[in-house]
Coordinates of all heavy atoms in Angstrom, one line a residue:
S182 N -17.5 -16.7 -6.1 CA -18.1 -17.8 -6.8 C -18.2 -19.0 -5.8 O -19.2 -19.7 -5.8 CB -17.3 -18.2 -8.0 OG -17.2 -17.1 -8.9
S183 N -17.1 -19.2 -5.0 CA -17.1 -20.3 -4.0 C -18.2 -20.1 -3.0 O -18.9 -21.1 -2.6 CB -15.7 -20.4 -3.3 OG -14.7 -20.6 -4.3
A184 N -18.4 -18.9 -2.5 CA -19.4 -18.6 -1.6 C -20.8 -18.9 -2.1 O -21.7 -19.4 -1.4 CB -19.3 -17.2 -1.1
R185 N -21.0 -18.5 -3.4 CA -22.3 -18.8 -4.0 C -22.6 -20.2 -4.2 O -23.7 -20.7 -4.0 CB -22.4 -18.0 -5.3 CG -22.6 -16.5 -5.2 CD -22.7 -15.8 -6.5 NE -23.4 -14.6 -6.5 CZ -23.6 -13.8 -7.5 NH1 -23.2 -14.1 -8.7 NH2 -24.3 -12.6 -7.3
V186 N -21.5 -21.0 -4.6 CA -21.7 -22.4 -4.7 C -22.0 -23.1 -3.4 O -22.8 -24.0 -3.3 CB -20.4 -23.0 -5.3 CG1 -20.4 -24.6 -5.3 CG2 -20.2 -22.6 -6.8
S187 N -21.5 -22.5 -2.3 CA -21.7 -23.0 -1.0 C -23.0 -22.5 -0.4 O -23.3 -22.8 0.8 CB -20.6 -22.6 0.0 OG -19.3 -23.1 -0.5
H188 N -23.8 -21.8 -1.2 CA -25.1 -21.3 -0.8 C -25.1 -20.4 0.4 O -26.0 -20.4 1.2 CB -26.1 -22.5 -0.5 CG -26.3 -23.5 -1.6 ND1 -27.0 -23.1 -2.8 CD2 -25.8 -24.7 -1.8 CE1 -27.0 -24.2 -3.6 NE2 -26.3 -25.1 -3.1
V189 N -24.0 -19.5 0.4 CA -23.9 -18.5 1.4 C -25.0 -17.4 1.1 O -25.0 -17.0 -0.1 CB -22.5 -17.9 1.5 CG1 -22.4 -16.8 2.5 CG2 -21.5 -19.0 1.8
P190 N -25.8 -17.0 2.0 CA -26.8 -15.9 1.7 C -26.2 -14.7 1.2 O -25.0 -14.3 1.5 CB -27.4 -15.7 3.1 CG -27.2 -16.9 3.9 CD -25.8 -17.4 3.4
G191 N -26.9 -14.0 0.3 CA -26.4 -12.8 -0.3 C -26.1 -11.7 0.7 O -25.1 -10.9 0.5
L192 N -26.9 -11.6 1.7 CA -26.6 -10.6 2.7 C -25.3 -10.8 3.4 O -24.6 -9.9 3.8 CB -27.8 -10.6 3.8 CG -27.8 -9.4 4.8 CD1 -27.9 -8.1 4.1 CD2 -28.9 -9.6 5.8
V193 N -25.0 -12.1 3.7 CA -23.7 -12.4 4.3 C -22.5 -12.1 3.3 O -21.5 -11.6 3.8 CB -23.6 -13.9 4.7 CG1 -22.3 -14.3 5.2 CG2 -24.7 -14.2 5.7
I194 N -22.7 -12.4 2.1 CA -21.6 -12.1 1.1 C -21.4 -10.6 1.0 O -20.3 -10.1 1.0 CB -22.0 -12.6 -0.3 CG1 -22.1 -14.2 -0.3 CG2 -21.1 -12.1 -1.4 CD1 -22.5 -14.8 -1.6
A195 N -22.5 -9.8 1.1 CA -22.4 -8.4 1.0 C -21.7 -7.8 2.2 O -20.8 -6.9 2.1 CB -23.8 -7.7 0.9
G196 N -22.0 -8.3 3.4 CA -21.4 -7.8 4.6 C -20.0 -8.3 4.8 O -19.1 -7.6 5.4
R197 N -19.7 -9.5 4.5 CA -18.4 -10.2 4.8 C -17.4 -10.0 3.7 O -16.2 -9.8 4.0 CB -18.6 -11.7 5.1 CG -17.4 -12.4 5.5 CD -17.7 -13.8 5.8 NE -18.6 -14.0 6.9 CZ -19.2 -15.1 7.3 NH1 -18.9 -16.3 6.6 NH2 -20.0 -15.2 8.3
H198 N -17.8 -9.9 2.5 CA -16.8 -9.8 1.3 C -16.9 -8.5 0.6 O -15.9 -7.9 0.2 CB -17.1 -11.0 0.4 CG -16.9 -12.4 1.1 ND1 -15.7 -12.8 1.6 CD2 -17.8 -13.3 1.3 CE1 -15.9 -14.0 2.1 NE2 -17.1 -14.4 1.9
V199 N -18.1 -8.1 0.2 CA -18.2 -6.9 -0.7 C -17.9 -5.6 0.0 O -17.0 -4.9 -0.4 CB -19.6 -6.9 -1.3 CG1 -19.7 -5.6 -2.2 CG2 -19.9 -8.1 -2.1
L200 N -18.6 -5.4 1.1 CA -18.4 -4.1 1.8 C -17.0 -3.8 2.3 O -16.4 -2.7 2.0 CB -19.4 -4.0 3.0 CG -19.4 -2.6 3.7 CD1 -19.8 -1.5 2.7 CD2 -20.4 -2.7 4.9
P201 N -16.3 -4.8 2.9 CA -14.9 -4.5 3.3 C -14.0 -4.2 2.1 O -13.0 -3.5 2.2 CB -14.5 -5.8 4.0 CG -15.7 -6.4 4.5 CD -16.7 -6.1 3.4
N202 N -14.3 -4.8 0.9 CA -13.4 -4.6 -0.2 C -13.7 -3.3 -1.0 O -12.8 -2.9 -1.7 CB -13.6 -5.8 -1.2 CG -12.8 -7.0 -0.7 OD1 -11.6 -7.1 -0.8 ND2 -13.5 -8.0 -0.2
I203 N -14.8 -2.8 -0.8 CA -15.1 -1.5 -1.4 C -15.1 -0.3 -0.4 O -15.4 0.8 -0.8 CB -16.5 -1.5 -2.1 CG1 -17.6 -1.6 -1.1 CG2 -16.6 -2.6 -3.1 CD1 -19.0 -1.4 -1.7
A204 N -14.7 -0.6 0.8 CA -14.6 0.4 1.8 C -13.7 1.6 1.4 O -14.0 2.8 1.7 CB -14.2 -0.1 3.2
G205 N -12.6 1.2 0.8 CA -11.6 2.3 0.4 C -12.2 3.3 -0.6 O -12.1 4.5 -0.3
V206 N -12.9 2.8 -1.6 CA -13.5 3.8 -2.6 C -14.6 4.5 -1.9 O -14.9 5.7 -2.3 CB -13.9 3.0 -3.9 CG1 -12.8 2.5 -4.6 CG2 -14.9 1.9 -3.5
I207 N -15.3 3.9 -1.0 CA -16.4 4.6 -0.3 C -15.8 5.8 0.5 O -16.4 6.9 0.6 CB -17.2 3.7 0.6 CG1 -17.9 2.6 -0.3 CG2 -18.3 4.4 1.4 CD1 -18.9 3.1 -1.3
I208 N -14.7 5.5 1.2 CA -14.1 6.6 2.0 C -13.6 7.7 1.1 O -13.8 8.9 1.5 CB -12.9 6.0 2.8 CG1 -13.4 5.0 3.9 CG2 -12.0 7.1 3.4 CD1 -12.3 4.2 4.5
V209 N -13.1 7.4 0.0 CA -12.6 8.5 -1.0 C -13.9 9.3 -1.4 O -13.8 10.5 -1.5 CB -11.9 7.8 -2.2 CG1 -11.6 8.9 -3.2 CG2 -10.6 7.2 -1.7
Q210 N -14.9 8.6 -1.8 CA -16.2 9.2 -2.2 C -16.7 10.1 -1.1 O -17.2 11.2 -1.3 CB -17.2 8.2 -2.6 CG -18.6 8.8 -3.0 CD -18.5 9.7 -4.2 OE1 -17.6 9.6 -5.0 NE2 -19.6 10.5 -4.4
A211 N -16.6 9.7 0.1 CA -17.1 10.4 1.3 C -16.3 11.7 1.4 O -16.9 12.8 1.7 CB -17.0 9.6 2.6
S212 N -15.0 11.7 1.3 CA -14.2 12.9 1.4 C -14.5 13.9 0.3 O -14.6 15.1 0.6 CB -12.7 12.5 1.4 OG -12.3 12.0 0.1
V213 N -14.7 13.4 -0.9 CA -15.1 14.3 -2.0 C -16.5 14.9 -1.8 O -16.8 16.1 -2.0 CB -15.0 13.6 -3.3 CG1 -15.5 14.5 -4.5 CG2 -13.6 13.2 -3.6
A214 N -17.4 14.0 -1.3 CA -18.8 14.5 -1.1 C -18.9 15.5 0.0 O -19.7 16.4 0.1 CB -19.7 13.3 -0.8
F215 N -17.9 15.3 1.0 CA -17.9 16.3 2.1 C -17.6 17.7 1.6 O -18.2 18.7 2.0 CB -16.8 15.8 3.1 CG -17.2 16.2 4.5 CD1 -17.4 15.2 5.5 CD2 -17.2 17.5 5.0 CE1 -17.7 15.6 6.8 CE2 -17.5 17.9 6.3 CZ -17.8 16.9 7.2
A216 N -16.6 17.8 0.7 CA -16.2 19.1 0.1 C -17.4 19.7 -0.6 O -17.7 20.9 -0.5 CB -15.0 18.9 -0.8
L217 N -18.1 18.8 -1.4 CA -19.3 19.3 -2.2 C -20.4 19.8 -1.2 O -21.1 20.7 -1.5 CB -19.8 18.2 -3.1 CG -18.8 17.8 -4.2 CD1 -19.4 16.7 -5.0 CD2 -18.5 19.0 -5.2
A218 N -20.6 19.0 -0.1 CA -21.6 19.4 0.9 C -21.3 20.8 1.5 O -22.2 21.6 1.8 CB -21.7 18.3 1.9
I219 N -20.0 21.0 1.8 CA -19.6 22.3 2.3 C -20.0 23.5 1.4 O -20.5 24.5 1.8 CB -18.1 22.3 2.7 CG1 -17.9 21.4 3.9 CG2 -17.7 23.8 3.1 CD1 -16.4 21.2 4.2
L220 N -19.6 23.3 0.1 CA -20.0 24.3 -0.9 C -21.5 24.5 -1.0 O -22.0 25.6 -1.2 CB -19.4 23.9 -2.3 CG -17.9 24.2 -2.5 CD1 -17.5 23.6 -3.9 CD2 -17.6 25.7 -2.4
A221 N -22.2 23.4 -1.0 CA -23.7 23.4 -1.2 C -24.3 24.1 0.0 O -25.2 25.0 -0.2 CB -24.2 22.0 -1.4
E222 N -23.8 23.8 1.2 CA -24.4 24.5 2.4 C -24.1 26.0 2.4 O -25.0 26.8 2.7 CB -23.8 23.9 3.6 CG -24.5 24.3 4.9 CD -24.0 25.6 5.5 OE1 -22.8 26.0 5.2 OE2 -24.7 26.3 6.2
A223 N -22.9 26.4 2.0 CA -22.5 27.8 1.9 C -23.4 28.5 0.9 O -23.9 29.6 1.1 CB -21.1 27.9 1.5
A224 N -23.7 27.8 -0.3 CA -24.5 28.4 -1.3 C -26.0 28.6 -0.8 O -26.6 29.6 -1.1 CB -24.5 27.6 -2.6
L225 N -26.5 27.5 -0.2 CA -27.8 27.6 0.3 C -28.0 28.6 1.4 O -29.0 29.4 1.4 CB -28.3 26.2 0.8 CG -28.4 25.1 -0.2 CD1 -28.6 23.8 0.5 CD2 -29.5 25.4 -1.2
S226 N -27.0 28.7 2.3 CA -27.1 29.8 3.3 C -27.0 31.2 2.7 O -27.7 32.1 3.2 CB -26.0 29.6 4.4 OG -26.2 28.3 5.1
F227 N -26.2 31.3 1.7 CA -26.0 32.6 1.0 C -27.4 33.0 0.4 O -27.7 34.2 0.4 CB -25.0 32.5 -0.1 CG -24.7 33.8 -0.8 CD1 -23.8 34.7 -0.3 CD2 -25.3 34.1 -2.0 CE1 -23.5 35.9 -0.9 CE2 -25.1 35.3 -2.6 CZ -24.2 36.2 -2.1
L228 N -28.1 32.1 -0.1 CA -29.4 32.3 -0.7 C -30.6 32.4 0.3 O -31.7 32.6 -0.1 CB -29.7 31.3 -1.8 CG -28.8 31.2 -3.0 CD1 -29.1 30.0 -3.9 CD2 -28.9 32.5 -3.8
G229 N -30.3 32.2 1.6 CA -31.3 32.2 2.6 C -32.1 30.9 2.8 O -33.2 30.9 3.4
L230 N -31.5 29.8 2.2 CA -32.2 28.5 2.3 C -31.6 27.6 3.3 O -32.0 26.4 3.4 CB -32.3 27.9 0.9 CG -33.0 28.7 -0.2 CD1 -32.8 28.1 -1.5 CD2 -34.5 28.8 0.1
G231 N -30.5 28.0 3.9 CA -29.8 27.1 4.9 C -30.0 27.6 6.3 O -31.1 27.8 6.8
T232 N -28.8 27.7 7.0 CA -28.8 28.1 8.4 C -29.4 29.5 8.6 O -29.1 30.5 7.9 CB -27.4 28.1 8.9 OG1 -26.8 26.8 8.7 CG2 -27.4 28.4 10.4
S233 N -30.4 29.6 9.5 CA -31.1 30.9 9.7 C -30.3 31.7 10.7 O -29.7 31.2 11.6 CB -32.5 30.6 10.2 OG -33.2 29.8 9.3
P234 N -30.4 33.1 10.5 CA -29.7 34.0 11.5 C -30.4 33.9 12.9 O -31.6 33.5 12.9 CB -29.9 35.4 10.9 CG -31.0 35.2 9.9 CD -31.0 33.8 9.5
P235 N -29.7 34.2 14.0 CA -28.4 34.7 14.0 C -27.3 33.6 14.1 O -26.1 34.0 14.3 CB -28.4 35.5 15.3 CG -29.3 34.7 16.2 CD -30.4 34.1 15.3
D236 N -27.6 32.3 13.9 CA -26.6 31.3 14.0 C -25.5 31.6 12.9 O -25.9 31.9 11.8 CB -27.2 29.9 13.7 CG -28.2 29.5 14.9 OD1 -28.0 30.0 16.0 OD2 -29.1 28.8 14.6
P237 N -24.3 31.5 13.3 CA -23.2 31.8 12.4 C -23.0 30.7 11.3 O -22.8 29.5 11.7 CB -22.0 31.9 13.3 CG -22.3 31.0 14.5 CD -23.8 31.1 14.6
S238 N -23.0 31.0 10.1 CA -22.8 30.1 9.0 C -21.9 30.9 8.0 O -22.1 32.1 7.8 CB -24.1 29.7 8.3 OG -23.8 29.1 7.0
W239 N -20.9 30.2 7.4 CA -20.0 30.9 6.5 C -20.7 31.5 5.3 O -20.4 32.6 4.9 CB -18.8 30.0 6.1 CG -17.9 29.6 7.2 CD1 -17.8 30.2 8.4 CD2 -17.0 28.5 7.3 NE1 -16.9 29.6 9.2 CE2 -16.4 28.5 8.5 CE3 -16.7 27.5 6.4 CZ2 -15.4 27.6 8.9 CZ3 -15.7 26.6 6.7 CH2 -15.1 26.6 8.0
G240 N -21.6 30.8 4.8 CA -22.4 31.3 3.7 C -23.3 32.5 4.0 O -23.4 33.4 3.3
R241 N -23.9 32.4 5.2 CA -24.7 33.5 5.7 C -23.8 34.7 6.0 O -24.2 35.9 5.7 CB -25.4 33.1 7.0 CG -26.3 34.2 7.6 CD -27.4 34.6 6.8 NE -28.4 33.5 6.7 CZ -29.6 33.7 6.2 NH1 -29.9 34.9 5.6 NH2 -30.5 32.7 6.1
M242 N -22.6 34.5 6.5 CA -21.7 35.6 6.7 C -21.3 36.3 5.4 O -21.2 37.5 5.3 CB -20.4 35.1 7.4 CG -20.6 34.7 8.8 SD -19.2 34.0 9.6 CE -18.1 35.4 9.7
L243 N -21.1 35.5 4.3 CA -20.9 36.1 3.0 C -22.1 36.9 2.5 O -21.9 38.0 1.9 CB -20.6 35.0 2.0 CG -19.2 34.4 1.9 CD1 -19.1 33.3 1.0 CD2 -18.2 35.5 1.5

Side-chain angles (χ1 to χ4, degrees):
S182 301
S183 300
R185 284 182 158 180
V186 169
S187 302
H188 301 291
V189 177
L192 189 61
V193 175
I194 294 176
R197 186 177 297 174
H198 300 296
V199 176
L200 187 58
N202 282 285
I203 67 171
V206 293
I207 297 301
I208 292 173
V209 173
Q210 175 66 19
S212 66
V213 175
F215 211 114
L217 295 176
I219 291 173
L220 278 177
E222 190 278 332
L225 293 173
S226 294
F227 184 87
L228 295 173
L230 299 170
T232 304
S233 302
D236 293 332
S238 165
W239 293 344
R241 176 68 67 172
M242 291 175 69
L243 276 175

